[in-house]
Amino acid sequence: MIDSMRVLSFSHFVQGPAASQYLADLGADVVKVEPPGGSWERRIGSSGIRVAGRSVTFLSVNRNKRSIAVDLKHPDARTVLRPLIEQADVLLENYRGGALEKLGLGYEAVRAIKPDIIYASASGWGSRGPMAGRPGVDLLVQARTGLVDVTGDRPTAAGTPVVDQHGAALLAMGVLAAYARKLTTGEGTRVESSLLGAGLDLQAESLALYYSGRRTETDVRRPAELACWSIDAPYGVYALRDTSIVIALNGSEDDLGDALGAPELAGYDQRARRTKREEYTAAVARVLAGMTYAEVASRLEPRGFWIERVATYDDVRADPQVAAEGLLAEFPVGEERATVLRHPVRYDGELPGLRTAPPELGADTVAVLRAAGFSADEVDGFLSAGVVS
């Protein structure tokens, strides 16, 4: 879909690599520029989990890309990178603020080489203000944006780095918007996203309700079962005899007690469910604790209540709906196989395919430099000098 887009990606961890992977999935030619030792997610990755010696974190966010290894601190690094910048539409990076400037690859320096460049930066806290330049990772941002505070009946982090992934999607969205502008006007754009912005954006409705509704911390505190402070009970997660269940809001809940055969719930109208939220939630929890999923489903589903069993990751892998949507994919890694999530959006009914597996470090260095116009002797010289590998 964007086969003509050329991207130089100076990125590591998850936010930057995932953003460039979204673009690569859509057809962009993404060249991942890595240090000689490889990017963090290649070298280490989360939990040290590896398949055939390869970091699974790296495998999850670097498909459909090419890799070149460049020592950015070498005095000839800019000589190597200049023609690549001249041919690129996008330079995408998520180094700590100021890092690329020190290496002569900041926005102004790159724009001097390529005036219509789309220079896309992802940071932890943004480029201005007292936190600019400080380390910013998912969990720190979850804490500072209030996400930890409003999750659970006590401060609780989300179960996965949700801010990283949302930040990646927002950065990719910004690049696509800038590319549309470039195609229509010929102008480049400075695109900036941050984990701070992503962490707040995940809570757009919640923050608006809290501030505009003049709410306080008392309103946020709630029973453990309730999933969200701003949505009426019984919206939440409840333990059954054999599993756990979620009940989502689907209009009036006035007949929940009748549907469950629990007259003790019938006396709570919408006003009572709000003013006596803790009492009502405890009553619902007591009723459900004595029932199985099959019993609850047989009573609530025919009445139009929205419920779902709480799945484990093992359940997700076997889920026929996930299979029907084709959202998980396997590919060979050495003598083993890795399982990753596919691009989550369909275009004309199809999901973008896996064109190439995540690349080995520097696998494309020679080919990329030759395509950029360097002679075979020049490339050999760069390799011998240790500029590239």
Side-chain angles (χ1 to χ4, degrees):
M1 296 183 67
I2 51 172
D3 295 6
S4 61
M5 180 190 287
R6 294 185 176 185
V7 180
L8 277 182
S9 177
F10 296 79
S11 60
H12 56 168
F13 297 103
V14 171
Q15 183 189 18
S20 57
Q21 178 173 269
Y22 287 132
L23 301 174
D25 286 347
L26 295 177
D29 177 14
V30 177
V31 174
K32 182 177 178 66
V33 183
E34 301 185 65
S39 58
W40 176 90
E41 80 276 10
R42 181 194 291 276
R43 291 182 293 104
I44 301 172
S46 298
S47 299
I49 298 174
R50 309 184 89 77
V51 170
R54 281 79 162 182
S55 159
V56 173
T57 299
F58 180 84
L59 298 178
S60 71
V61 292
N62 283 292
R63 64 174 170 260
N64 294 330
K65 303 178 186 178
R66 299 190 286 166
S67 168
I68 66 172
V70 181
D71 181 357
L72 297 181
K73 296 180 181 179
H74 194 286
D76 292 330
R78 288 193 66 195
T79 300
V80 169
L81 292 171
R82 184 181 182 94
L84 276 64
I85 292 170
E86 290 173 341
Q87 296 169 18
D89 297 294
V90 181
L91 187 151
L92 184 151
E93 62 91 13
N94 71 318
Y95 280 79
R96 191 184 300 185
L100 286 189
E101 280 81 356
K102 293 177 182 177
L103 297 169
L105 294 168
Y107 172 56
E108 294 299 338
V110 170
R111 191 172 67 158
I113 298 171
K114 177 77 167 178
D116 62 347
I117 194 72
I118 296 167
Y119 194 103
S121 298
S123 64
W125 304 107
S127 61
R128 49 191 62 78
M131 296 293 288
R134 293 188 59 179
V137 297
D138 186 286
L139 187 57
L140 299 180
V141 174
Q142 283 194 43
R144 194 169 180 117
T145 59
L147 185 57
V148 168
D149 185 60
V150 299
T151 302
D153 63 322
R154 61 179 180 81
T156 305
T160 66
V162 293
V163 179
D164 268 346
Q165 205 66 44
H166 187 52
L170 293 178
L171 180 60
M173 180 181 72
V175 170
L176 290 171
Y179 190 56
R181 179 191 190 190
K182 180 176 180 177
L183 292 177
T184 55
T185 69
E187 298 177 11
T189 305
R190 178 79 162 99
V191 177
E192 298 177 81
S193 71
S194 69
L195 291 179
L196 175 64
L200 293 171
D201 189 62
L202 283 169
Q203 305 170 80
E205 181 197 23
S206 182
L207 289 166
L209 290 168
Y210 188 89
Y211 296 138
S212 304
R214 309 296 191 270
R215 294 302 191 260
T216 69
E217 272 294 296
T218 302
D219 299 296
V220 172
R221 302 279 74 83
R222 62 192 186 279
E225 291 82 5
L226 295 187
C228 181
W229 73 268
S230 60
I231 300 179
D232 291 343
Y235 184 89
V237 186
Y238 298 86
L240 304 178
R241 278 171 47 198
D242 57 348
T243 185
S244 294
I245 192 174
V246 298
I247 300 177
L249 202 62
N250 69 328
S252 174
E253 302 288 333
D254 291 341
D255 58 348
L256 179 63
D258 181 57
L260 290 174
E264 62 265 46
L265 301 180
Y268 294 91
D269 58 14
Q270 186 180 61
R271 183 173 185 279
R273 292 194 295 271
R274 290 176 178 172
T275 59
K276 301 178 180 180
R277 180 173 65 174
E278 288 74 15
E279 178 185 307
Y280 175 67
T281 302
V284 173
R286 285 194 300 271
V287 170
L288 292 175
M291 303 178 71
T292 66
Y293 179 79
E295 291 171 332
V296 174
S298 68
R299 288 175 174 271
L300 296 187
E301 287 182 341
R303 304 281 285 266
F305 284 90
W306 296 347
I307 65 169
E308 190 58 71
R309 187 196 305 265
V310 174
T312 66
Y313 276 5
D314 290 332
D315 296 327
V316 170
R317 186 165 192 165
D319 191 321
Q321 185 60 33
V322 174
E325 285 293 307
L327 291 170
L328 292 176
E330 285 191 354
F331 59 86
V333 181
E335 299 299 316
E336 301 180 46
R337 297 186 70 80
T339 301
V340 298
L341 182 70
R342 294 182 64 182
H343 187 91
V345 180
R346 288 184 177 273
Y347 306 88
D348 294 328
E350 300 294 331
L351 293 177
L354 176 66
R355 301 192 308 279
T356 60
E360 296 298 317
L361 177 62
D364 307 289
T365 297
V366 172
V368 168
L369 295 187
R370 292 287 282 123
F374 291 109
S375 68
D377 287 344
E378 287 175 314
V379 174
D380 288 341
F382 293 141
L383 288 167
S384 298
V387 188
V388 300
S389 55

